[in-house]
Amino acid sequence: MNFLEIAELRQSCRNYNPDREVEKEKIDSILRAAQLSPSACNCQPYHITVCRGEKAKAVAKTTMQMGLNRFAPDAPVILVISEKPYSKTAALGSKLKHNDYRSIDIGILSAYITAEATVQGLGTCIIGWLDDEPIRKLCNLDGTVRLVITVGYAADDDKQRTKKRRDISELVSEV
């Protein structure tokens, strides 16, 4: 599978098969892809916590306020992405250039995670609507929780949706 095929196939899964566990080898492959993702000054200012079982369900509940993310408890795995401090070089660059490299790095990390999950035949959904403090307590974390990513096998009736994207002419210009 080439990258464009992965990009065409990958979609936010909101309908998981709660009875199908994700094999350790597939999670290991996703985590290896995460380890290889680029970051400012190669400092990887984040931590990934893998949650399964009751811990995953407890984390999922922190994403469900106002009726959102009702699918999350059905995902057998949840990856919690929390911040870690910058390296000195990245911290200096961030301050001098007024750019939040850590958020950029976490975005790249998430893209690598979701792409490899797609290759492994798994569905994912990146969730930013969450309660940081309860997740920190559940996962014993000291860094701010930025995202959680649900991971699992899509339910049999979860069909590929047509992608709705802006026209390329609206996204790209050449000067």
Side-chain angles (χ1 to χ4, degrees):
M1 192 178 317
N2 69 43
F3 187 77
L4 284 178
E5 290 169 329
I6 294 166
E8 286 284 345
L9 188 58
R10 195 262 158 202
Q11 65 184 6
S12 292
C13 182
R14 294 184 182 90
N15 187 12
Y16 290 99
N17 179 345
D19 300 320
R20 191 165 176 198
E21 291 298 318
V22 177
E23 300 86 346
K24 181 183 181 321
E25 300 79 31
K26 291 188 176 193
I27 296 299
D28 289 346
S29 184
I30 291 166
L31 296 174
R32 176 67 175 143
Q35 180 186 25
L36 294 171
S37 71
S39 62
C41 303
N42 293 316
C43 75
Q44 298 177 296
Y46 41 73
H47 181 79
I48 305 164
T49 304
V50 180
C51 301
R52 293 181 177 269
E54 291 307 310
K55 190 72 74 169
K57 290 188 184 315
V59 169
K61 287 180 184 173
T62 73
T63 71
M64 297 174 63
Q65 299 79 22
M66 297 176 54
L68 296 172
N69 304 314
R70 292 181 188 163
F71 62 90
D74 288 338
V77 177
I78 292 186
L79 304 177
V80 175
I81 313 299
S82 58
E83 287 185 352
K84 286 296 201 185
Y86 283 120
S87 68
K88 288 179 182 176
T89 308
L92 178 63
S94 179
K95 187 172 186 154
L96 289 173
K97 292 299 180 181
H98 307 288
N99 204 344
D100 181 7
Y101 298 123
R102 193 167 24 217
S103 291
I104 295 166
D105 294 342
I106 288 171
I108 297 167
L109 171 75
S110 299
Y112 271 58
I113 286 170
T114 58
E116 181 57 23
T118 300
V119 170
Q120 295 298 322
L122 298 168
T124 56
C125 188
I126 302 168
I127 301 174
W129 183 272
L130 53 85
D131 277 344
D132 170 62
E133 196 59 39
I135 297 174
R136 282 196 212 193
K137 288 178 183 170
L138 284 165
C139 297
N140 229 7
L141 299 170
D142 55 5
T144 302
V145 175
R146 289 295 174 204
L147 299 171
V148 299
I149 303 175
T150 56
V151 182
Y153 287 97
D156 290 339
D157 62 348
D158 189 59
K159 303 298 179 203
Q160 186 73 23
R161 299 180 299 274
T162 302
K163 292 198 182 289
K164 298 176 185 172
R165 300 293 189 264
R166 291 176 23 207
D167 188 79
I168 192 86
S169 66
E170 296 178 57
L171 297 174
V172 178
S173 62
E174 191 170 326
V175 294

